Amino acid sequence: MAGKIANIIVAGLGGQGVLKASDIISEAVFLAGFDIKKSEVHGMSQRGGSVCSDIRYGEAVFSPMVPEGEADYLVVLSEDQVENNRHQLREGGVLITPSMIDENKLTNKKSLNVALLGVLSRNMDIDRSFWLDSIRANLPEKIHEVNFQAFEIGRSIGN
């Protein structure tokens, strides 16, 4: 990916873990040795409003904002946020939604955001170990195992 900047948008509703998911992505990308910038918009998030996080990474990134229509990956944590954010995705970009995950397989439904990161990880050239290290660094130890399982459920999509 020499010289290329990759763009990721994570979107959802307040309380779904949008910001935590973007923290995990950012740290995994950083551990992989990339420059990274991140920004967040969370106006009414505490009342269940829309939350969105932009993540850009590459050799050198100068702006955290993903230009409209240029997201390589759009990870949406709530189905009703897909249409609100679809315009952010470039043509040929990857859309990742909760409908891709069988939530009955999740030990804890709150780990859906990490399961979706597992799906995202299959599309990115970031070593799995960096993702697991980032989950460890960003979540309390008592929920590591549940989230590792959720991540692997997401990674198994398409196998």
Side-chain angles (χ1 to χ4, degrees), residues 26-57:
S26 298
E27 185 150 349
V29 168
F30 178 77
L31 292 171
F34 292 101
D35 186 24
I36 180 159
K37 299 285 187 285
K38 180 180 89 155
S39 71
E40 303 159 351
V41 175
H42 44 96
M44 294 295 286
S45 59
Q46 291 184 348
R47 294 184 177 232
S50 297
V51 181
C52 187
S53 181
D54 290 18
I55 302 161
R56 303 184 79 214
Y57 73 94

Side-chain angles (χ1 to χ4, degrees), residues 1 4-9 55-57 66-67 69-75 88-96 120 123-124:
M1 94 170 249
K4 182 181 181 325
I5 303 297
N7 299 306
I8 304 168
I9 293 180
I55 302 161
R56 303 184 79 214
Y57 73 94
V66 174
E70 294 188 27
D72 299 292
Y73 308 102
L74 174 59
V75 180
Q88 299 282 7
L89 195 61
R90 71 170 169 76
E91 189 173 321
V94 177
L95 174 63
I96 298 171
L120 174 66
N123 293 283
M124 295 171 60

Side-chain angles (χ1 to χ4, degrees), residues 55-117:
I55 302 161
R56 303 184 79 214
Y57 73 94
E59 288 181 13
V61 180
F62 300 105
S63 170
M65 301 303 294
V66 174
E68 188 166 314
E70 294 188 27
D72 299 292
Y73 308 102
L74 174 59
V75 180
V76 182
L77 304 186
S78 176
E79 292 292 339
D80 64 359
Q81 294 298 303
V82 171
E83 291 311 315
N84 293 348
N85 292 284
R86 188 182 296 271
H87 68 282
Q88 299 282 7
L89 195 61
R90 71 170 169 76
E91 189 173 321
V94 177
L95 174 63
I96 298 171
T97 70
S99 65
M100 301 170 86
I101 303 291
D102 179 357
E103 289 190 46
N104 294 321
K105 292 183 177 178
L106 298 175
T107 305
N108 184 337
K109 305 281 189 253
K110 291 181 179 178
S111 60
L112 175 64
N113 60 345
V114 175
L116 294 172
L117 294 184

